[in-house]
mmCIF file of all heavy atoms in Angstrom:
data_model
loop_
_atom_site.group_PDB
_atom_site.id
_atom_site.type_symbol
_atom_site.label_atom_id
_atom_site.label_comp_id
_atom_site.label_asym_id
_atom_site.label_seq_id
_atom_site.Cartn_x
_atom_site.Cartn_y
_atom_site.Cartn_z
ATOM 1 N N ARG A 24 12.443 102.583 -48.809
ATOM 2 C CA ARG A 24 12.055 101.177 -48.618
ATOM 3 C C ARG A 24 13.330 100.363 -48.526
ATOM 4 O O ARG A 24 14.110 100.287 -49.479
ATOM 5 C CB ARG A 24 11.195 100.699 -49.793
ATOM 6 C CG ARG A 24 10.867 99.199 -49.747
ATOM 7 C CD ARG A 24 9.975 98.868 -48.539
ATOM 8 N NE ARG A 24 9.364 97.544 -48.658
ATOM 9 C CZ ARG A 24 9.797 96.448 -48.023
ATOM 10 N NH1 ARG A 24 10.888 96.500 -47.271
ATOM 11 N NH2 ARG A 24 9.148 95.299 -48.157
ATOM 12 N N TYR A 26 15.150 96.645 -47.677
ATOM 13 C CA TYR A 26 14.979 95.199 -47.531
ATOM 14 C C TYR A 26 16.087 94.738 -46.598
ATOM 15 O O TYR A 26 17.172 94.406 -47.058
ATOM 16 C CB TYR A 26 15.084 94.494 -48.877
ATOM 17 C CG TYR A 26 14.048 94.921 -49.890
ATOM 18 C CD1 TYR A 26 14.393 95.763 -50.950
ATOM 19 C CD2 TYR A 26 12.738 94.461 -49.806
ATOM 20 C CE1 TYR A 26 13.442 96.137 -51.888
ATOM 21 C CE2 TYR A 26 11.789 94.846 -50.743
ATOM 22 C CZ TYR A 26 12.151 95.684 -51.782
ATOM 23 O OH TYR A 26 11.215 96.057 -52.715
ATOM 24 N N GLY A 27 15.838 94.779 -45.328
ATOM 25 C CA GLY A 27 16.909 94.491 -44.375
ATOM 26 C C GLY A 27 17.993 95.542 -44.525
ATOM 27 O O GLY A 27 17.735 96.739 -44.390
ATOM 28 N N ARG A 29 19.650 95.953 -47.350
ATOM 29 C CA ARG A 29 19.673 96.421 -48.739
ATOM 30 C C ARG A 29 18.690 97.561 -48.961
ATOM 31 O O ARG A 29 17.606 97.595 -48.406
ATOM 32 C CB ARG A 29 19.349 95.257 -49.675
ATOM 33 C CG ARG A 29 19.505 95.621 -51.134
ATOM 34 C CD ARG A 29 19.202 94.437 -52.026
ATOM 35 N NE ARG A 29 20.176 93.371 -51.854
ATOM 36 C CZ ARG A 29 19.846 92.081 -51.796
ATOM 37 N NH1 ARG A 29 18.584 91.720 -51.867
ATOM 38 N NH2 ARG A 29 20.776 91.165 -51.668
ATOM 39 N N VAL A 30 19.111 98.502 -49.801
ATOM 40 C CA VAL A 30 18.259 99.640 -50.126
ATOM 41 C C VAL A 30 17.403 99.296 -51.340
ATOM 42 O O VAL A 30 17.930 98.901 -52.382
ATOM 43 C CB VAL A 30 19.119 100.880 -50.449
ATOM 44 C CG1 VAL A 30 18.230 102.030 -50.942
ATOM 45 C CG2 VAL A 30 19.912 101.297 -49.228
ATOM 46 N N GLY A 31 16.077 99.406 -51.199
ATOM 47 C CA GLY A 31 15.186 99.288 -52.358
ATOM 48 C C GLY A 31 15.113 100.636 -53.038
ATOM 49 O O GLY A 31 15.493 100.800 -54.193
ATOM 50 N N CYS A 32 14.639 101.628 -52.279
ATOM 51 C CA CYS A 32 14.726 103.014 -52.738
ATOM 52 C C CYS A 32 14.920 103.876 -51.506
ATOM 53 O O CYS A 32 14.576 103.470 -50.402
ATOM 54 C CB CYS A 32 13.480 103.424 -53.516
ATOM 55 S SG CYS A 32 11.953 103.398 -52.545
ATOM 56 N N GLY A 49 16.176 104.161 -65.198
ATOM 57 C CA GLY A 49 17.355 103.790 -64.425
ATOM 58 C C GLY A 49 17.698 102.346 -64.732
ATOM 59 O O GLY A 49 16.849 101.598 -65.233
ATOM 60 N N GLU A 50 18.932 101.981 -64.427
ATOM 61 C CA GLU A 50 19.361 100.632 -64.790
ATOM 62 C C GLU A 50 18.708 99.589 -63.880
ATOM 63 O O GLU A 50 18.066 99.931 -62.876
ATOM 64 C CB GLU A 50 20.887 100.530 -64.711
ATOM 65 C CG GLU A 50 21.376 100.670 -63.287
ATOM 66 C CD GLU A 50 22.896 100.718 -63.209
ATOM 67 O OE1 GLU A 50 23.552 100.458 -64.229
ATOM 68 O OE2 GLU A 50 23.398 101.026 -62.117
ATOM 69 N N SER A 51 18.916 98.352 -64.231
ATOM 70 C CA SER A 51 18.341 97.254 -63.475
ATOM 71 C C SER A 51 18.823 97.293 -62.023
ATOM 72 O O SER A 51 20.004 97.497 -61.762
ATOM 73 C CB SER A 51 18.757 95.933 -64.132
ATOM 74 O OG SER A 51 18.170 94.881 -63.443
ATOM 75 N N GLY A 52 17.889 97.155 -61.099
ATOM 76 C CA GLY A 52 18.251 97.145 -59.683
ATOM 77 C C GLY A 52 18.321 98.529 -59.075
ATOM 78 O O GLY A 52 18.667 98.688 -57.906
ATOM 79 N N SER A 53 17.979 99.567 -59.820
ATOM 80 C CA SER A 53 18.105 100.931 -59.305
ATOM 81 C C SER A 53 16.943 101.310 -58.382
ATOM 82 O O SER A 53 16.957 102.378 -57.786
ATOM 83 C CB SER A 53 18.214 101.922 -60.472
ATOM 84 O OG SER A 53 17.098 101.821 -61.322
ATOM 85 N N GLY A 54 15.906 100.462 -58.306
ATOM 86 C CA GLY A 54 14.828 100.721 -57.337
ATOM 87 C C GLY A 54 13.529 101.199 -57.960
ATOM 88 O O GLY A 54 12.606 101.619 -57.244
ATOM 89 N N LYS A 55 13.412 101.112 -59.276
ATOM 90 C CA LYS A 55 12.214 101.621 -59.965
ATOM 91 C C LYS A 55 10.944 100.879 -59.524
ATOM 92 O O LYS A 55 9.944 101.490 -59.155
ATOM 93 C CB LYS A 55 12.389 101.467 -61.496
ATOM 94 C CG LYS A 55 13.655 102.100 -62.057
ATOM 95 C CD LYS A 55 13.729 101.969 -63.573
ATOM 96 C CE LYS A 55 13.851 100.536 -64.082
ATOM 97 N NZ LYS A 55 15.149 99.887 -63.754
ATOM 98 N N SER A 56 11.024 99.541 -59.573
ATOM 99 C CA SER A 56 9.829 98.753 -59.224
ATOM 100 C C SER A 56 9.497 98.901 -57.752
ATOM 101 O O SER A 56 8.323 98.972 -57.372
ATOM 102 C CB SER A 56 10.053 97.276 -59.551
ATOM 103 O OG SER A 56 10.222 97.118 -60.937
ATOM 104 N N THR A 57 10.517 98.943 -56.919
ATOM 105 C CA THR A 57 10.301 99.123 -55.486
ATOM 106 C C THR A 57 9.537 100.415 -55.224
ATOM 107 O O THR A 57 8.529 100.438 -54.510
ATOM 108 C CB THR A 57 11.656 99.169 -54.748
ATOM 109 O OG1 THR A 57 12.330 97.945 -54.990
ATOM 110 C CG2 THR A 57 11.467 99.369 -53.259
ATOM 111 N N LEU A 58 9.999 101.488 -55.839
ATOM 112 C CA LEU A 58 9.352 102.788 -55.660
ATOM 113 C C LEU A 58 7.908 102.727 -56.160
ATOM 114 O O LEU A 58 6.983 103.189 -55.485
ATOM 115 C CB LEU A 58 10.146 103.862 -56.413
ATOM 116 C CG LEU A 58 9.526 105.263 -56.417
ATOM 117 C CD1 LEU A 58 9.361 105.805 -54.996
ATOM 118 C CD2 LEU A 58 10.378 106.235 -57.248
ATOM 119 N N ARG A 60 5.898 100.189 -56.472
ATOM 120 C CA ARG A 60 5.031 99.374 -55.605
ATOM 121 C C ARG A 60 4.597 100.157 -54.372
ATOM 122 O O ARG A 60 3.455 100.064 -53.936
ATOM 123 C CB ARG A 60 5.743 98.087 -55.182
ATOM 124 C CG ARG A 60 5.672 96.967 -56.221
ATOM 125 C CD ARG A 60 5.962 95.608 -55.581
ATOM 126 N NE ARG A 60 7.253 95.574 -54.910
ATOM 127 C CZ ARG A 60 8.404 95.309 -55.519
ATOM 128 N NH1 ARG A 60 8.419 95.041 -56.807
ATOM 129 N NH2 ARG A 60 9.521 95.299 -54.851
ATOM 130 N N ASP A 66 3.039 98.012 -51.453
ATOM 131 C CA ASP A 66 4.138 97.693 -50.545
ATOM 132 C C ASP A 66 4.272 98.888 -49.600
ATOM 133 O O ASP A 66 4.133 100.034 -50.015
ATOM 134 C CB ASP A 66 5.419 97.499 -51.366
ATOM 135 C CG ASP A 66 6.528 96.877 -50.533
ATOM 136 O OD1 ASP A 66 6.261 96.450 -49.383
ATOM 137 O OD2 ASP A 66 7.671 96.837 -51.025
ATOM 138 N N GLN A 105 3.460 94.303 -65.956
ATOM 139 C CA GLN A 105 4.293 93.950 -67.115
ATOM 140 C C GLN A 105 3.762 92.670 -67.759
ATOM 141 O O GLN A 105 3.656 92.562 -68.972
ATOM 142 C CB GLN A 105 5.746 93.746 -66.669
ATOM 143 C CG GLN A 105 6.618 93.196 -67.789
ATOM 144 C CD GLN A 105 8.091 93.189 -67.431
ATOM 145 O OE1 GLN A 105 8.493 93.721 -66.394
ATOM 146 N NE2 GLN A 105 8.899 92.590 -68.283
ATOM 147 N N ASP A 185 4.471 99.345 -64.780
ATOM 148 C CA ASP A 185 5.848 98.883 -64.658
ATOM 149 C C ASP A 185 6.214 98.146 -65.931
ATOM 150 O O ASP A 185 5.716 97.050 -66.176
ATOM 151 C CB ASP A 185 5.984 97.957 -63.434
ATOM 152 C CG ASP A 185 7.446 97.746 -63.045
ATOM 153 O OD1 ASP A 185 8.341 98.092 -63.858
ATOM 154 O OD2 ASP A 185 7.697 97.253 -61.935
ATOM 155 N N GLU A 186 7.051 98.749 -66.729
ATOM 156 C CA GLU A 186 7.490 98.157 -68.001
ATOM 157 C C GLU A 186 6.302 97.603 -68.792
ATOM 158 O O GLU A 186 6.260 96.418 -69.106
ATOM 159 C CB GLU A 186 8.486 97.009 -67.740
ATOM 160 C CG GLU A 186 9.688 97.377 -66.881
ATOM 161 C CD GLU A 186 10.812 98.027 -67.674
ATOM 162 O OE1 GLU A 186 10.611 98.317 -68.877
ATOM 163 O OE2 GLU A 186 11.878 98.277 -67.082
ATOM 164 N N VAL A 217 7.256 103.153 -65.258
ATOM 165 C CA VAL A 217 8.616 102.681 -65.061
ATOM 166 C C VAL A 217 9.097 102.032 -66.343
ATOM 167 O O VAL A 217 8.376 101.230 -66.942
ATOM 168 C CB VAL A 217 8.662 101.638 -63.918
ATOM 169 C CG1 VAL A 217 9.937 100.801 -64.002
ATOM 170 C CG2 VAL A 217 8.555 102.317 -62.566
ATOM 171 N N THR A 218 10.270 102.425 -66.777
ATOM 172 C CA THR A 218 10.820 101.776 -67.958
ATOM 173 C C THR A 218 12.336 101.894 -67.942
ATOM 174 O O THR A 218 12.894 102.806 -67.339
ATOM 175 C CB THR A 218 10.265 102.410 -69.255
ATOM 176 O OG1 THR A 218 10.859 101.773 -70.374
ATOM 177 C CG2 THR A 218 10.558 103.901 -69.313
ATOM 178 N N HIS A 219 12.997 100.951 -68.552
ATOM 179 C CA HIS A 219 14.443 101.131 -68.703
ATOM 180 C C HIS A 219 14.737 101.582 -70.131
ATOM 181 O O HIS A 219 15.872 101.772 -70.520
ATOM 182 C CB HIS A 219 15.189 99.832 -68.368
ATOM 183 C CG HIS A 219 14.844 98.721 -69.299
ATOM 184 N ND1 HIS A 219 13.861 97.805 -69.009
ATOM 185 C CD2 HIS A 219 15.310 98.401 -70.518
ATOM 186 C CE1 HIS A 219 13.745 96.969 -70.017
ATOM 187 N NE2 HIS A 219 14.597 97.307 -70.947
ATOM 188 N N MET A 234 16.848 107.213 -61.695
ATOM 189 C CA MET A 234 17.227 106.574 -60.427
ATOM 190 C C MET A 234 18.533 105.814 -60.543
ATOM 191 O O MET A 234 18.854 105.242 -61.586
ATOM 192 C CB MET A 234 16.127 105.608 -59.954
ATOM 193 C CG MET A 234 14.877 106.322 -59.468
ATOM 194 S SD MET A 234 13.676 105.179 -58.774
ATOM 195 C CE MET A 234 14.393 104.854 -57.172
ATOM 196 N N GLY A 237 18.821 103.270 -55.861
ATOM 197 C CA GLY A 237 17.679 103.533 -54.999
ATOM 198 C C GLY A 237 17.327 105.000 -54.839
ATOM 199 O O GLY A 237 16.299 105.338 -54.268
HETATM 200 N N1 LIG C 1 11.509 91.591 -52.303
HETATM 201 C C1 LIG C 1 12.791 91.983 -52.216
HETATM 202 N N2 LIG C 1 13.566 91.500 -51.242
HETATM 203 C C2 LIG C 1 14.858 91.898 -51.136
HETATM 204 N N3 LIG C 1 15.427 92.774 -51.958
HETATM 205 C C3 LIG C 1 14.689 93.284 -52.951
HETATM 206 C C4 LIG C 1 13.332 92.908 -53.133
HETATM 207 N N4 LIG C 1 12.850 93.580 -54.213
HETATM 208 C C5 LIG C 1 13.869 94.330 -54.673
HETATM 209 N N5 LIG C 1 14.959 94.161 -53.923
HETATM 210 C C6 LIG C 1 16.242 94.842 -54.109
HETATM 211 O O1 LIG C 1 16.001 96.232 -54.164
HETATM 212 C C7 LIG C 1 16.784 96.832 -55.187
HETATM 213 C C8 LIG C 1 15.906 97.512 -56.200
HETATM 214 O O2 LIG C 1 15.151 96.526 -56.911
HETATM 215 P P1 LIG C 1 14.003 96.887 -57.937
HETATM 216 O O3 LIG C 1 13.306 95.636 -58.286
HETATM 217 O O4 LIG C 1 13.203 97.983 -57.396
HETATM 218 O O5 LIG C 1 14.840 97.407 -59.182
HETATM 219 P P2 LIG C 1 14.370 97.848 -60.621
HETATM 220 O O6 LIG C 1 14.940 99.193 -60.862
HETATM 221 O O7 LIG C 1 12.931 97.682 -60.788
HETATM 222 O O8 LIG C 1 15.136 96.797 -61.562
HETATM 223 P P3 LIG C 1 14.691 96.130 -62.956
HETATM 224 O O9 LIG C 1 14.919 97.176 -64.014
HETATM 225 O O10 LIG C 1 15.646 95.004 -63.112
HETATM 226 O O11 LIG C 1 13.284 95.695 -62.832
HETATM 227 C C9 LIG C 1 17.640 95.704 -55.761
HETATM 228 O O12 LIG C 1 18.892 95.699 -55.106
HETATM 229 C C10 LIG C 1 16.880 94.471 -55.409
HETATM 230 O O13 LIG C 1 17.748 93.364 -55.276
#
Side-chain angles (χ1 to χ4, degrees):
Chain A
R24 174 66 165 101
Y26 299 105
R29 186 179 294 138
V30 174
C32 63
E50 67 186 350
S51 182
S53 58
K55 306 183 295 292
S56 296
T57 300
L58 175 60
R60 278 199 303 275
D66 192 9
Q105 172 171 352
D185 195 346
E186 306 277 7
V217 161
T218 178
H219 63 266
M234 289 186 77

